[in-house]
Amino acid sequence: MSFENNISALRQTDGELAEILSNRRGVSHVEVVNTKKNIPSLRVNNISLHSLYDPVKEAEAWVKFYKGDIDKEASIYVFGFGLGYHLQELCRVTDRLVTVFEPSIDVLRKAFETVELTSVLSRIKIITDCSIPALNHRFSVLHHKPSVTLNREYFDDIHAKLRSREAIRRGLRILVVSPIYGGSLPVAGYCSSSLIKMGHTVELIDNSRFGDALFYAKDISENRQRYNSMLNHLSSFISEAVTARCETFRPDLVLALAQAPLAAGCLDNLRRKKVTTAYWFVEDFRFMEYWKNIAGHYDFFFTIQKGQFFNELQGAGIKNYHYLPMAACPDIHKPGRLSEDEMKYYGSDLSFVGAGYYNRRQFMRGLLDFDFKIWGSDWDLHSDLARCIQRGGARIDTDEIVKIFNASKININLHSSTYHKGINPFGDFINPRTFEIMACGGFQLTDRRPALDGLFEAGEEIIVFDDLGDLRSKAAYYLDHPEERNMIAQRGRQIVLREHTYENRMKEMIEVIAARGLRQPLWPDEGEEVEGLIEEAGRDSELGKYLYRFPGKRKITLSDITDEISRTEGEISGTEGIFMLMNEFVR
Amino acid sequence: MNELKKEIERPELFNAIRNSITDARFSAKKLAEVFTDNIQPLRMEESENVFVNLSQNIQELDCFMGFMAELREGMRFFDGFGLPPDPISSQGAGMNLFQEMNSSLASKDWIMLSDLIEYELSPLLLREDEWLGSLSDKISEYDA
């Protein structure tokens, strides 16, 4: 009878688990035994989960033992279900949210068969796998010791993940390392600003400052060996600088963007210090094979391709890889009002922004009869495309690119290929331009790629073409239907803002890292207790009130305070000014 | 045998025996108390401290049992003063309990061990204390 009642109660909150428990058959290693009090207890593999004399008294003592933790935090996590005596007692003394982790379906089944639990099942959430709910509050963990002893590995894993979640909720210290140059350089900035918006303390190591040195090395000698040697020295120098900065900044996570020049030794050193490292490889693995040398040195490896790349990563023994497509940065890639002159200068019926790769040079020749502008470098200025190429094939900066996306009636997007004549039929990633045009509210015609399917609804949010003929007819159609064009562009912008911003990507990245467990770095424990400082300054004093803005932090350092001041907009207060001055003295 | 009995009956020896019984009563009560104090941590934690304390308590229990064995031996000369067997040795109660405790220790069944300590060992030690009190009274009567 208990079982039916319990299952029926569970079905109200967790139908899936109710189904699993209903279908479970009993097993011999989970044994219900009678106690001296004539109520049931449980033994698993000959280990008692509850007192064999008085399990209710034991449960009362358990709650009493944890009383402080129960009253302290908003959420309570209990490790171990047993027959639920401790949960019944817990729910009697608190109305807080209770989540119970129990990996043994057999134990749960037995508990449901044996004890009437309906009064608590509406109050608790049961988790049987390794998934951790999002944390919005501080929490307490209460151990049902015999259950924990029986499943030590599982509970150690859950504990580590909860610690990660808690660290993330409080805000991580993240060091973002950019490349020296290239397409992923601005992406490092977008990631950095998104992470700050998410509440993390972020420092961006902008390696573009070494651009001159890199190009100097490139130009100074034709000897490839010498160039590689100089490159290695530069990489060692930057790695040393990153290591030095880590010692001061004490990050929880180091995120490197594609081509960030971090040497293996630096990464191994961070691993020894238990700093979690992640790499976002925003490159085509078929052309940039350097991933083979670096992927294994990072704890997490994020890619813009899956399928074949995942097979290659598996083959190379890499485990923690995860698909993370490109995105847009709505603070940069946004609709904007253009003057009449700007519209005239940047606008056209058709435009293309990007470098003149082989396939593009071939393909774009089929569009010469349109009002067509090509922006970007590496185009053949002596070909018949020359009349479309703007500013003599100069590189275009981001501000102008945004204006072009805004001003063009149709933005063409053709993913690059060095040997196909048009569309690369094997292309399996989406370039940033796809997202950026949409975030600007621009209308886009892009080459068909299977990877688009999971991201956008073709025909509704984006229009794809299969070959030149298809592009020409669709371009003509949409030039004649501006309202339809505008509707699609608006829907495209909405989906990008909702799902495809760098903030979305960083949330996903942090989620992946949290789910697998963020390590606790071995940085020295510095800082002062916030509560103690507030107490010392006086709760109503100016300084005390100021320090209330760090409620999530247990300890703070002077650099935490000055970081916060630097992030805050507006005029600096007197207190803030003193902190900044103190920081200058320290520096 | 008679020589030995005479030796035992010397007043200073009687005093020594009475004193050691007083000590043993204190030990029995103290042991019941410290075992009880450790039950909750044993049920709740798996810390080194809990096991260090447990092992220390078991060593002290062993000493107490050693004393009780000597006492039982000595009491044979007085036909046990007409007292029933002490609770620990009665019907092998102590032996059975220690075997069960050993087996729960070996299988790391800490809940079972806690139960045995809380519901069996501690009350048994307190009953042993009462029995020692009766013995002390009997010795005083005999001495008088």
Side-chain angles (χ1 to χ4, degrees), chain A residues 62-78 89-98 123 137-142:
Chain A
W62 183 85
V63 166
K64 201 171 160 196
F65 179 85
Y66 282 120
K67 188 78 175 81
D69 298 288
I70 293 166
D71 294 340
K72 200 167 62 183
E73 310 297 2
S75 299
I76 297 169
Y77 293 111
V78 179
E89 189 57 23
L90 177 64
C91 288
R92 209 177 56 75
V93 302
T94 184
D95 54 5
R96 286 180 163 75
L97 185 70
V98 177
R123 299 267 319 275
H137 313 285
R138 290 166 69 95
F139 61 88
S140 293
V141 176
L142 320 183

Side-chain angles (χ1 to χ4, degrees), chain A residues 23-41:
Chain A
N23 296 328
R24 193 69 165 197
R25 295 269 171 273
V27 284
S28 59
H29 69 277
V30 180
E31 181 196 0
V32 173
V33 286
N34 202 21
T35 63
K36 304 263 183 197
K37 284 271 176 183
N38 213 22
I39 53 173
S41 181

Side-chain angles (χ1 to χ4, degrees), chain A residues 36 43 46-54 57-58 61-66 143 145-146 149 152, chain B residues 40-47 50-51 100 104 107-112 114-116 118-120:
Chain A
K36 304 263 183 197
R43 284 171 66 80
N46 293 321
I47 302 284
S48 315
L49 291 201
H50 296 288
S51 169
L52 302 168
Y53 286 70
D54 192 345
K57 182 182 162 202
E58 183 186 53
W62 183 85
V63 166
K64 201 171 160 196
F65 179 85
Y66 282 120
H143 296 82
K145 194 184 90 177
T149 308
R152 186 160 299 286
Chain B
Q40 188 65 353
L42 187 60
R43 287 189 195 277
M44 306 298 302
E45 300 165 33
E46 217 164 271
S47 69
V50 170
F51 293 111
E100 279 189 84
S104 48
S107 60
K108 298 185 175 172
D109 186 345
W110 310 121
I111 296 293
M112 168 84 97
S114 308
D115 275 349
L116 291 172
E118 182 173 0
Y119 296 102
E120 303 290 349

